[in-house]
């Protein structure tokens, strides 16, 4: 059995290959070549274990997450975990991968695919709202998907971002890309053609200003419960459609469930990403307007990403 640590995964990841892998996962989803049951959750004394199993024709995988909120007091991540891969025919364990790394790189890749297909090809600026792990990786993938010259970062807390910005510039590894901290979210929105949000906020983190948001490509990955919300109501006056991964997202994310309940959004304005990718839609025409992609993730992404990393590890 192969074990892949965070450091080994970082050495194996190629952002463009990982975005291709996510697009293949969309194909598998669209052709129903998978089995992905509801994820069992076991909770005891505010300590949660979440199991996210998924079967494909080639591999069986399970992401196992531990969610321990009290870890914040210890200076440790609240969410940790592993991804376990099993042989599709025998069920034998074949690999264990660091769950934090797989999640971070595949979520970034999902956002990157959104940028690939929903932003103008001549975009040179991206804004990241939320200076955490997911925001970090979204920035890396944005620079792989488009010829980005400047990455703008805004964080709602007042923590010092000096080290974060230095690490991000090193990870992007392109001397022509500047990484700049913004003092306000309004400044970030004004300067950014692509905007990525990755926060646990319960209220919108972008300004509710149609003129500011007009013409932007917005990629939102932070809201994953009905109580969470990152995107303001102004988006529904600008974007004809919202691109999503699976129908369940409309129940899981407050960015979708709340406007649906209020009547600001209707289901006929939602577009499944797998259907969009295999359609003959004019992506360049769509990208000239305001575009909005909302991701909540799914186990199929984790398993396809882990399988690709395992293949690369074996090649190495």
């Amino acid at each position: 059995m192969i074990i892949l640590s965070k450091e080994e995964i970082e050495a194996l990841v190629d952002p463009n290959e990982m975005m291709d892998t996510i697009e293949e996962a969309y194909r598998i989803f669209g052709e129903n070549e998978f089995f992905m049951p509801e994820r069992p959750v076991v909770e005891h004394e505010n300590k949660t274990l979440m199991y996210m199993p998924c079967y494909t024709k080639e591999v069986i995988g399970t992401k196992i997450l531990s969610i321990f909120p009290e870890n914040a007091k210890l200076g440790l991540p609240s969410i940790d975990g592993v991804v376990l891969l099993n042989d599709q025919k025998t069920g034998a364990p074949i690999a264990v991968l660091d769950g934090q790394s797989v999640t971070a790189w595949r979520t970034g890749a999902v956002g990157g695919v959104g940028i690939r297909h929903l932003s103008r090809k001549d975009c040179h600026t991206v804004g990241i709202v939320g200076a955490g792990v997911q925001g970090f990786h979204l920035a890396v993938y944005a620079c792989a998907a488009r010829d980005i010259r400047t990455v703008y970062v805004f964080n709602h807390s007042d923590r010092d971002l000096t080290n974060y910005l230095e690490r991000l510039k090193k990870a992007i590894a392109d001397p022509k890309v500047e990484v700049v901290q913004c003092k306000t979210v309004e400044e970030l929105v004004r300067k950014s053609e692509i905007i990525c949000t990755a926060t646990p906020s319960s209220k919108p983190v972008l300004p509710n200003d149609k003129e500011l948001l007009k013409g932007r490509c917005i990629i939102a990955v932070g809201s994953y419960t009905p109580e969470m919300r990152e995107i303001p109501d102004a988006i529904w006056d600008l974007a004809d459609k919202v691109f999503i991964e699976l129908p369940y997202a409309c129940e899981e994310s407050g960015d979708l469930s709340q406007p649906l309940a209020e009547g600001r959004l209707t289901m006929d304005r939602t577009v499944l990403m797998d259907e969009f990718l295999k359609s003959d839609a004019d992506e360049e025409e769509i990208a000239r307007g305001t575009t909005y992609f909302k991701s909540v993730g799914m186990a199929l992404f984790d398993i396809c990403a882990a399988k690709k990393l395992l293949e690369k590890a074996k090649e190495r």
Side-chain angles (χ1 to χ4, degrees):
M1 182 169 63
I2 292 176
I3 299 175
L4 296 179
S5 67
K6 173 184 177 181
E7 293 74 20
E8 289 169 313
I9 289 171
E10 288 182 351
L12 290 168
V13 166
D14 177 288
N16 282 297
E17 285 183 352
M18 196 58 69
M19 285 188 283
D20 292 342
T21 298
I22 294 301
E23 293 200 24
E24 171 63 9
Y26 278 125
R27 184 199 64 77
I28 293 171
F29 181 85
E31 296 183 8
N32 202 31
E33 296 178 351
F34 70 102
F35 172 63
M36 188 170 60
E38 290 189 16
R39 51 196 187 194
V41 177
V42 181
E43 186 174 357
H44 179 65
E45 296 180 344
N46 200 30
K47 298 173 182 178
T48 303
L49 289 177
M50 183 181 295
Y51 299 87
M52 301 171 63
C54 184
Y55 292 63
T56 73
K57 290 184 175 181
E58 297 180 330
V59 72
I60 299 170
T62 307
K63 183 161 77 170
I64 305 170
L65 293 181
S66 60
I67 306 172
F68 282 45
E70 298 300 313
N71 280 4
K73 299 176 183 177
L74 305 174
L76 298 173
S78 298
I79 300 177
D80 210 333
V82 297
V83 176
L84 172 66
L85 295 181
N86 298 76
D87 184 271
Q88 213 278 344
K89 293 182 179 179
T90 68
I94 54 177
V96 176
L97 297 84
D98 178 80
Q100 282 190 351
S101 295
V102 172
T103 300
W105 285 106
R106 72 84 162 147
T107 302
V110 171
V113 170
I115 292 170
R116 264 185 179 181
H117 296 279
L118 298 173
S119 70
R120 300 190 324 273
K121 293 181 179 179
D122 62 350
C123 286
H124 299 303
T125 56
V126 62
I128 307 296
V129 181
V133 173
Q134 296 304 160
F136 187 99
H137 289 82
L138 283 165
V140 172
Y141 277 99
C143 292
R146 289 290 181 259
D147 181 21
I148 299 298
R149 309 288 173 78
T150 309
V151 176
Y152 296 102
V153 180
F154 173 77
N155 199 53
H156 284 84
S157 76
D158 57 359
R159 72 182 171 91
D160 184 3
L161 295 184
T162 302
N163 179 257
Y164 183 90
L165 300 178
E166 290 175 353
R167 289 192 298 109
L168 180 53
K169 187 167 180 61
K170 183 178 179 181
I172 293 170
D174 186 340
K176 79 172 187 297
V177 177
E178 287 189 272
V179 179
V180 178
Q181 182 176 358
C182 291
K183 294 181 180 179
T184 67
V185 71
E186 287 80 8
E187 176 192 358
L188 178 142
V189 173
R190 275 195 303 271
K191 294 179 175 179
S192 304
E193 297 158 298
I194 301 165
I195 300 168
C196 302
T197 61
T199 77
S201 180
S202 60
K203 58 183 180 180
V205 296
L206 299 182
N208 194 32
D209 187 325
K210 288 188 286 187
E211 289 304 311
L212 271 181
L213 297 176
K214 187 177 181 180
R216 270 57 177 185
C217 171
I218 298 173
I219 308 293
V221 307
S223 167
Y224 57 88
T225 73
E227 295 74 34
M228 291 180 173
R229 184 89 181 264
E230 293 189 300
I231 308 303
D233 289 331
I235 192 66
W236 306 117
D237 294 326
L238 297 169
D240 294 330
K241 306 286 185 182
V242 55
F243 296 85
I244 62 175
E245 298 147 339
L246 67 172
Y248 179 64
C250 294
E251 301 175 30
E252 187 170 71
S253 170
D255 272 327
L256 300 172
S257 64
Q258 292 182 32
L260 278 167
E262 295 165 0
R264 298 180 187 275
L265 170 65
T266 52
M267 287 302 298
D268 62 324
R269 294 174 66 185
T270 63
V271 179
L272 290 175
M273 199 66 176
D274 70 281
E275 295 180 355
F276 175 67
L277 292 179
K278 66 185 179 186
S279 73
D280 57 359
D282 187 339
E283 293 184 5
E284 291 188 21
E285 177 64 26
I286 292 170
R288 291 192 190 103
T290 305
T291 55
Y292 173 30
F293 170 63
K294 171 59 201 160
S295 171
V296 295
M298 55 179 163
L300 179 60
F301 289 151
D302 295 295
I303 302 319
C304 289
K307 175 178 171 291
K308 179 64 176 179
L309 290 166
L310 177 59
E311 291 170 354
K312 289 175 68 69
K314 289 181 175 180
E315 289 172 4
R316 184 184 62 179

